[in-house]
Amino acid sequence: MSTDSGGKGAGFVHHASLYDGDEAFLAMALPFAEEGLDAGEPVLAATTPANIELLRDALGARAHALDTAETAYFGRRPVERVSSFLRYVNRRNVRGRRTRIIAEPLWAGKSARQIAEWKRMESGLNVLLADSDVWMICPYDTRTVPEDVAQAAVATHPAHVVGAKILPCAAYVDPDAYAAAADAPLLPPPVGADRLDGPAAPAAVRAFVRGSAAAAGLSGARLAMAETVANEALTCLLERGATGAEVCAWEEPGIVAWDLLATGPATSAPAAWAGFVPPGEQAGPFDGLWLMRSLCESVEIRMVDGRMRLRLRYGGKGNAERL
């Protein structure tokens, strides 16, 4: 593997690495890290504790120059993961040199919905980090990842690394096309969901959401943040042509869910990757969507007969301790 292979100075480079053991992992990771350290580039390994130990042992005396992060704590959700990447790059970037990141997603224990969101994010990184001078390799341990995840790896990365070789991914899919295929129509809200028919005024929507969150056992800061989420969601709809929203709420295990369907056609819809990058110094059009993604377990956006639908899943009482 050569630094030239990454296209130094050419913006974001995104590779997958499907490995089946320690030897295959090191065949990719060690030359990648060594060449970066030789060039004075920041190198981060965000992977499993076992892989971090392997790589540090292989680097020997040079291990002190390697930045590491246990991947389970390097962004629990896609929006947090993107923020973690950007924080690292902004903190460690050396002008005129690229940043190298080994970024292994954690798949074990995730729900089907979470896995789908992480696959989608892997594709979205090609857009979200397009302007960054980062070379990222995402390892996938084929001993443990589901087959559909391994297949997604070569659809969401333009190339993959085998040892020191970089090979194109014939199955790679354009990120916008990938998102369109991944965003299947949402199932209707449950029959027994509580409903607030629209067009509802902002105050009524906030009160309804607050009431459903309180009924789910939330209180204090969690309850206040639920109202903030509702306000941002309604604002997103109003800014895109809605006169109000039809709102319903229901509970899932550990989750309170809200569905907001705009009354009136939308003048525009957020792009597939909107709201994943943290706000900058100046207010941006998707700052509210970033806040929603940051506070909610998931945010899904769909167009239904020209009307925008926002479906939010917010951590219930059992998830309160993580905040």
Side-chain angles (χ1 to χ4, degrees), residues 98-285:
R98 71 161 61 254
T99 300
R100 296 185 183 221
I101 301 176
I102 297 170
E104 182 157 13
L106 181 67
W107 304 99
K110 283 186 166 59
S111 69
R113 178 179 292 110
Q114 289 171 327
I115 287 175
E117 289 175 353
W118 275 73
K119 290 178 185 176
R120 191 178 187 276
M121 182 208 68
E122 281 281 72
S123 179
L125 290 175
N126 296 295
V127 175
L128 296 168
L129 302 182
D131 294 332
S132 66
D133 196 8
V134 171
W135 184 359
M136 181 181 293
I137 299 180
C138 301
Y140 287 69
D141 187 343
T142 57
R143 298 168 297 180
T144 59
V145 300
E147 180 60 29
D148 63 296
V149 171
Q151 291 174 353
V154 293
T156 57
H157 297 77
H160 65 112
V161 178
V162 180
K165 295 181 180 179
I166 299 174
L167 306 171
C169 290
Y172 176 67
V173 178
D174 174 81
D176 288 339
Y178 189 92
D183 292 345
L186 297 175
L187 294 174
V191 173
D194 294 329
R195 297 180 180 275
L196 174 67
D197 292 331
V205 172
R206 290 194 296 269
F208 176 79
V209 167
R210 186 179 182 90
S212 60
L218 298 182
S219 60
R222 293 287 292 161
L223 189 59
M225 285 191 289
E227 192 170 348
T228 297
V229 164
N231 190 70
E232 294 297 339
L234 185 59
T235 298
C236 181
L237 296 179
L238 295 176
E239 288 178 344
R240 286 160 182 81
T243 56
E246 299 170 11
V247 189
C248 60
W250 64 93
E251 290 187 53
E252 299 174 0
I255 294 289
V256 56
W258 299 295
D259 187 278
L260 292 84
L261 178 61
T263 51
T267 55
S268 64
W273 314 110
F276 280 95
V277 175
E281 295 182 3
Q282 302 295 323

Side-chain angles (χ1 to χ4, degrees), residues 75-116:
R76 192 177 70 88
R77 290 173 292 186
V79 68
E80 295 166 352
R81 186 80 161 187
V82 174
S83 296
S84 295
F85 288 142
L86 292 173
R87 278 196 302 270
Y88 177 78
V89 172
N90 291 336
R91 185 176 70 250
R92 295 283 282 119
N93 181 257
V94 178
R95 186 175 181 86
R97 299 185 186 275
R98 71 161 61 254
T99 300
R100 296 185 183 221
I101 301 176
I102 297 170
E104 182 157 13
L106 181 67
W107 304 99
K110 283 186 166 59
S111 69
R113 178 179 292 110
Q114 289 171 327
I115 287 175

Side-chain angles (χ1 to χ4, degrees), residues 240-318:
R240 286 160 182 81
T243 56
E246 299 170 11
V247 189
C248 60
W250 64 93
E251 290 187 53
E252 299 174 0
I255 294 289
V256 56
W258 299 295
D259 187 278
L260 292 84
L261 178 61
T263 51
T267 55
S268 64
W273 314 110
F276 280 95
V277 175
E281 295 182 3
Q282 302 295 323
F286 301 115
D287 290 356
L289 185 53
W290 177 85
L291 184 61
M292 282 187 277
R293 294 193 191 280
S294 298
L295 295 178
C296 292
E297 294 298 314
S298 70
V299 176
E300 296 174 284
I301 305 172
R302 301 289 190 276
M303 297 302 296
V304 182
D305 297 329
R307 299 161 68 188
M308 189 182 303
R309 164 166 267 148
L310 281 172
R311 183 162 294 177
L312 317 174
R313 286 180 170 85
Y314 185 76
K317 187 176 181 180

